[in-house]
């Protein structure tokens, strides 16, 4: 039995279904990232897990004990769940230490139970204990919010888009500190986010929430390299989609005959590659096709290049190193690195 078992969970507000027949099992000590666009029901799901909302159907089990199900609704404070909300929500009139112990029984609050240990765990100096939270950066405040969520030694920790208010530099540093703290406590964690880079970089597994349902659960690399549908391919990164056909275990398209990432039924298909699989060469080589550079956006470490394929009239995006960037109008040759994913073309209704 997994640490967290969600089975057949459904929740509607009025006639508007938000979570529909949702199933997910999360192993002890792992970090599950749930990736979904804004409005897909991420916060609702976490509120159901905490017990702030009641589901219309389904069950939630924590450590093998049903906390929500037909005729069962364990109160939030009895569920041993730690919650980090989107905007840290620290109390400005309390010190960092008092914020951390806020949810503990009175004697432990008075004793500042485990404050030193928790500050160390989230990588903050002990001197911060006495400070008001406004004197900390946004990333440091989120670490205090995590320390507060961990203070009661919860069985499961839920994080609701905890880094969305941080700027890029702070975000990666704070992400690392949070992953480290969660690993050190061996807490089972669920992080929800609309940010695919966050989900891919933090989750042991990533579950994609799409229109209230679970579209795919996979390791970050599996999800990125072999998304289940072309819609997911676009959502989990940038996708190059070409018309093609699957024959003899290969994807044949305007970029040639490519190996497949997974066995696919023969027939017409959409062929998907990631822009970084498109390599640009200055001259013709075996297995290259001609392409013309239409536009280049230089990003520093890399550049995004828009290409036209004269043979098919298709346009594709390439992501290349920022070291050597072609000029718009340049004629180049394209080769493909790594396998393609093919999605059988939907049969049209006759
Ligand atoms: P996310 O966190 O993925 O952005 P939410 O769970 O906040 O999504 O919301 C999902 C949908 O449920 C939205 O359409 C939202 O308007 C609706 N919703 C959320 N909470 C309530 C509520 N208390 N009453 C009515 N509708 C709600
Ligand atoms: Mg939300």
């Amino acid at each position: 039995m997994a640490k967290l078992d969600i089975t057949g969970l459904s929740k509607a507000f009025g006639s508007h279904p938000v979570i529909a027949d949702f199933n997910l099992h999360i192993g002890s000590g792992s970090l599950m990232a749930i990736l979904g666009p804004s409005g897909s029901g991420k916060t609702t799901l976490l509120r159901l897990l905490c017990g702030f909302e009641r589901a219309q159907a389904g069950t939630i089990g924590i450590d093998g004990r049903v906390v929500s199900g037909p005729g069962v609704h364990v109160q939030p404070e009895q569920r041993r769940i730690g919650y980090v909300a989107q905007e840290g929500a620290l109390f400005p009139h309390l010190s960092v230490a008092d914020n951390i112990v806020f949810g503990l029984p009175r004697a432990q609050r008075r004793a500042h139970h485990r404050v030193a240990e928790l500050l160390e765990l989230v990588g903050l100096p002990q001197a911060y204990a006495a400070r008001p939270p406004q004197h900390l950066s946004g990333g440091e405040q989120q670490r205090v919010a995590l320390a507060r969520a961990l203070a009661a030694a919860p069985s499961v920790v839920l994080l609701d888009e905890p880094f969305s208010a941080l700027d890029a530099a702070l975000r990666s540093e704070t992400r690392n500190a949070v992953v480290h703290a969660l690993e050190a406590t061996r807490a089972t964690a669920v992080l929800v986010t609309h940010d695919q880079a966050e989900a891919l970089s933090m989750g042991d597994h990533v579950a994609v929430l799409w229109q209230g349902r679970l579209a795919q659960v996979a390791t970050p690399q599996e999800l990125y390299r072999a998304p289940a549908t072309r819609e997911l391919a676009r959502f989990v990164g940038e996708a190059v989609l070409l018309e093609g056909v699957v024959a003899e275990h290969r994807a044949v398209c305007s970029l040639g005959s490519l190996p497949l990432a997974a066995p696919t039924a023969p027939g017409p298909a959409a062929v998907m590659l990631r822009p970084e699989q498109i390599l640009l060469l200055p001259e013709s080589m075996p297995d290259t096709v001609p392409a013309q550079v239409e536009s280049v956006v230089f990003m520093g470490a890399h550049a995004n290049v828009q290409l036209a394929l004269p043979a098919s009239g298709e346009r594709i995006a390439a992501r290349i190193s920022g070291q050597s960037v072609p000029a718009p109008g340049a004629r180049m040759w394209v080769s493909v690195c790594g396998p393609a994913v093919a999605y059988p073309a939907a049969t049209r209704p006759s």
Side-chain angles (χ1 to χ4, degrees):
M1 179 144 309
K3 191 73 167 186
L4 189 56
D5 290 286
I6 308 170
T7 309
L9 197 68
S10 297
K11 174 71 181 175
F13 292 109
S15 62
H16 175 52
V18 176
I19 300 290
D21 194 20
F22 187 92
N23 300 285
L24 189 62
H25 303 280
I26 302 174
S28 186
S30 71
L31 199 170
M32 175 67 72
I34 299 183
L35 175 66
S38 183
S40 59
K42 301 184 296 297
T43 297
T44 302
L45 177 65
L46 294 191
R47 291 176 57 79
L48 287 164
L49 297 179
C50 283
F52 300 141
E53 299 280 357
R54 284 174 188 247
Q56 274 103 14
T59 60
I60 300 168
I62 299 176
D63 287 328
R65 165 190 179 219
V66 173
V67 297
S68 171
V72 181
H73 182 81
V74 174
Q75 289 305 310
E77 59 277 14
Q78 308 289 324
R79 293 191 182 193
R80 299 199 49 227
I81 285 180
Y83 189 74
V84 181
Q86 191 156 355
E87 303 285 339
L90 299 176
F91 301 108
H93 59 286
L94 296 180
S95 69
V96 163
D98 286 328
N99 266 285
I100 290 174
V101 296
F102 182 80
L104 299 180
R106 183 193 284 192
Q108 295 186 341
R109 274 205 316 265
R110 289 219 175 123
H112 278 179
H113 181 68
R114 290 175 63 219
V115 163
E117 179 192 332
L118 288 160
L119 281 173
E120 189 180 342
L121 183 66
V122 297
L124 292 177
Q126 299 296 328
Y128 282 16
R131 294 195 191 166
Q134 318 70 289
H135 290 190
L136 274 54
S137 74
E140 290 167 343
Q141 290 184 29
Q142 282 304 70
R143 297 195 208 188
V144 174
L146 177 65
R148 179 173 65 186
L150 293 171
S155 177
V156 174
V157 182
L158 308 179
L159 303 109
D160 193 349
E161 311 217 32
F163 315 109
S164 57
L166 306 180
D167 61 50
L170 263 183
R171 206 180 296 159
S172 67
E173 186 189 318
T174 311
R175 271 181 203 159
N176 291 344
V178 166
V179 167
H180 181 79
L182 291 171
E183 277 172 4
T185 54
R186 297 203 176 84
T188 303
V190 181
L191 174 132
V192 302
T193 178
H194 70 275
D195 180 332
Q196 47 103 354
E198 194 157 293
L200 295 176
S201 64
M202 292 188 70
D204 296 315
H205 287 86
V206 181
V208 185
L209 186 59
W210 194 263
Q211 293 166 347
R213 289 177 184 275
L214 204 55
Q216 188 169 2
V217 186
T219 65
Q221 295 195 24
E222 280 165 4
L223 177 65
Y224 186 75
R225 293 193 187 137
T229 65
R230 64 191 99 172
E231 290 74 25
L232 285 187
R234 283 201 207 95
F235 180 55
V236 183
E238 217 184 316
V240 173
L241 286 158
L242 296 164
E243 275 186 41
V245 62
V246 173
E248 290 168 6
H249 310 294
R250 293 183 73 88
V252 182
C253 64
S254 52
L255 293 179
S257 167
L258 308 172
L260 283 164
T264 310
V271 177
M272 195 283 289
L273 294 162
R274 295 299 186 186
E276 62 273 18
Q277 291 181 265
I278 310 288
L279 306 181
L280 283 183
L281 303 167
E283 53 201 84
S284 176
M285 307 262 278
D287 296 326
T288 58
V289 300
Q292 180 152 23
V293 176
E294 293 205 317
S295 63
V296 178
V297 180
F298 179 67
M299 305 290 290
H302 74 270
N304 295 325
V305 181
Q306 199 67 33
L307 299 160
L309 303 175
S312 67
E314 287 167 307
R315 289 188 159 71
I316 61 170
R319 172 173 300 192
I320 63 168
S321 160
Q323 276 298 322
S324 148
V325 174
R331 291 181 175 279
M332 312 279 295
W333 277 263
V334 167
S335 81
V336 174
C337 161
V341 178
Y343 302 107
T347 43
R348 281 173 224 269
S350 50

